[in-house]
Structures are given as structure tokens and as C-alpha cells.
Amino acid sequence: MNVTLPTAESLRSALAGLLDGLPPKQAAQAVDRLIASYRGTTPTDAPVLRDRSDVAAYAAYRMPATFEAVRSALAALCDAAPEWVPATHTDIGGGTGAASWAVAGAWEGPATTVLDWAEPALELGRELAGLSGVPALRGARWEKARIGAALELAPTDLVTVSYVLKELTELARTELVDVAAAAAQAVVIVEPGTPDGYARIIEARDRLIAAGLTVAAPCPHSAACPIEPGTDWCHFSARVSRSSLHRRVKGGSLSHEDEKFSYVVATRFPVLPVAARVIRKPQIRKGQVLLELCTRDEGLARSTVTKRHGELYRAARDIAWGDAWPPADTE
């Protein structure tokens, strides 16, 4: 039986169908307010999405980028544990469900529960899921819950927490990560690819390790991050195709954008992390490729791959930021 799996294109189509007629001026104003909120430095400890217009603007503005960022993190989990398939999934602070769309695209049929404190977001997410044509999404449960302190989670295979920690106080962040670690077999946390987003990921990573989980990605190990605090930050990039609706709401003219994000994946089951990961965009020069790597045994390292490396050089010319190194078929 052929089962429909969600794609970036199907998400854009569902958004276009649901948000057709959204007044551009109203949407633009809501987006401006949301941008100011998300880029601010003070945790809100309250829902950022207040009403239907906020949620509609958010969905058009953020869902495609969140989908691509989470999909990248899930792909790294699949690479580290190719035989593992979650039967249940809880999307904490899932809002309109972008992470749940990504999960439904990575594995066929996990039973998903989306938790969020903004009822308008849950309502729109439920409508979008109904337009998806994907059984797992259409059967998802959408439940209102206060995210952060005192959140109770039933045992689940997979927990996703995407672009949520920024909205919480420090205490609520730590409690949320601890609850996720206790409930799940695998935890995927995604934050903006900024210095403060990376700092929240490192904080969460440390707590997940302390709770007994093993880092599956992006790091090649569960030891301390080799980046000296304050000198740099680990982040990655996902290409996001813009629909006409997306361009209209965000005021952009390009057909795509690059979403910068930081993430951590940790599990309670055995995984095989990569030997090294490309942590910056590869620099292609005449006859050579310069790679910035995070390695399992040597920490941060730079590698220059030249033509004399033959097959490895050809692989390096095709390698992308965030990929494993060396590729499995060249080892």
C-alpha cells in the first residue's frame, strides 16, 4: 500500500490552501511583531501566538523553515540509528505542527501528540494536518498544555522541541529538558542558529547527558563541546524554498532562504555517531577543498582535501555543511 508522506511542497500547498485570503498588511504587521518577539532577549514565559491572525502569519512565516531545520536533525538521527523507528511521538510546544510534519516524513506512521499552550495554534495545526492527506498527521492529537514548569509527559519514543526554549525562563527550560529526557527514548531539540540559541542547545545537551542519554548528532561524541565558550558557536543551514505566499508575508523577492539552526539529538538506545561532521560551509578552491570539522578524537580540526586524494577529493567537492565526513561510501 502506498502511503503519502509529507514533503516541503505538500506543506506549502496546505498553507496556501488554508491561508488564502490572508490580508497582506495584517500578516506583515503580525510577522513584524513576531520577529521582534523571537529576536528579543527576555523570555516571555507565555504564548507568543495570541490569536488567529498571529497564528496564520506565523504559519506562513515560520513553518517551512522549522520543517526544514527539524527534518535535517531527524535525518542525522536516522543516519546514527538507521534501524530505529519510533511508534509514538510527542511534539512539545509544537504550535501549528511543523516538527510533526517533519517526523511524519521521516518515518511512516508514528502516533503523534502535539502539545502547546496556544489554542489558536493547535486549531490551525489541526486544520493543516487535515489537509495533508497523511494518515499519521490526520490522526494526531492536539492538546493544550502549559509548556515548561510542571509539564507532565507520558512515556514516548520520540520527543521534539523546536524553537521553544527561547520562550521559557531558565528554570522552565531546565525542567522541560529534564521531563523530556525522562519520558523519551530519543530527544530532538532545535533552536535558532545564533550564539544564544547555541548556548541553549549546549545547556540542554549537558542535561540530556547527565540524565543518561547519549548524543547521536550533530556531535561525534558525548564529551564536552570543543568550542571555547564565547569564541564561536555551532550551527547549520537548511535551504528553504519560498512559495509566493511566503514571499508576500516576509516581503522577500528570492525564491529561497537559508535557515540557520542549532540542534542536539540524544537517545537511550545505541547509536553510531559520525566520525566527524562538517561544521562550516566547505570552501572550494582550485584543486582543493577546505573543511572545518568537529571530530570524535581530535576535537575541532581543519582538513584540506586535494586532487591527489582522488575519490575523497571528488566527495569533498559535493559535501555540504552539516554532512558526515568522510562519506560512508569512501571509508
Side-chain angles (χ1 to χ4, degrees), residues 7-19 101 128 131 243 245:
T7 63
E9 180 58 39
S10 63
L11 175 58
R12 288 194 297 270
S13 296
L15 282 169
L18 191 61
L19 305 179
W101 280 68
L128 281 171
L131 296 172
S243 65
L245 171 67

Side-chain angles (χ1 to χ4, degrees), residues 273-292:
V274 299
R277 191 174 300 277
V278 180
I279 58 171
R280 288 290 182 273
K281 184 178 180 180
Q283 301 298 307
I284 300 178
R285 304 285 188 262
K286 185 175 181 180
Q288 62 182 13
V289 181
L290 310 179
L291 300 177
E292 298 282 344

Side-chain angles (χ1 to χ4, degrees), residues 7-197:
T7 63
E9 180 58 39
S10 63
L11 175 58
R12 288 194 297 270
S13 296
L15 282 169
L18 191 61
L19 305 179
D20 185 38
L22 180 69
K25 184 176 180 179
Q26 181 183 10
Q29 290 173 343
V31 165
D32 287 344
R33 189 186 66 78
L34 290 170
I35 290 174
S37 175
Y38 280 114
R39 290 180 179 174
T41 57
T42 303
T44 62
D45 200 29
V48 173
L49 305 177
R50 302 176 304 190
D51 53 33
R52 175 79 179 197
S53 63
D54 273 2
V55 173
Y58 169 83
Y61 163 54
R62 285 299 307 164
M63 275 192 80
T66 300
F67 172 84
E68 294 293 356
V70 176
R71 183 164 70 168
S72 294
L74 296 177
L77 171 56
C78 291
D79 288 343
E83 302 300 320
W84 183 75
V85 178
T88 54
H89 163 229
T90 301
D91 189 6
I92 300 177
T96 53
S100 295
W101 280 68
V103 167
W107 298 280
E108 182 182 317
T112 288
T113 299
V114 181
L115 304 177
D116 201 274
W117 48 16
E119 186 63 41
L122 294 169
E123 291 176 0
L124 191 139
R126 189 181 296 112
E127 291 177 47
L128 281 171
L131 296 172
S132 69
V134 179
L137 287 173
R138 297 175 79 168
R141 297 167 57 193
W142 303 78
E143 299 181 358
K144 186 173 182 179
R146 182 170 180 80
I147 306 304
L151 176 68
E152 296 183 1
L153 284 185
T156 184
D157 290 336
L158 173 65
V159 161
T160 54
V161 186
S162 54
Y163 299 92
V164 172
L165 299 184
K166 171 68 167 62
E167 299 179 35
L168 306 177
T169 64
E170 183 177 357
L171 177 61
R173 285 201 302 268
T174 59
E175 291 186 354
L176 174 57
V177 173
D178 290 347
V179 167
Q185 294 299 304
V187 179
V188 176
I189 302 178
V190 180
E191 284 286 294
T194 59
D196 62 318

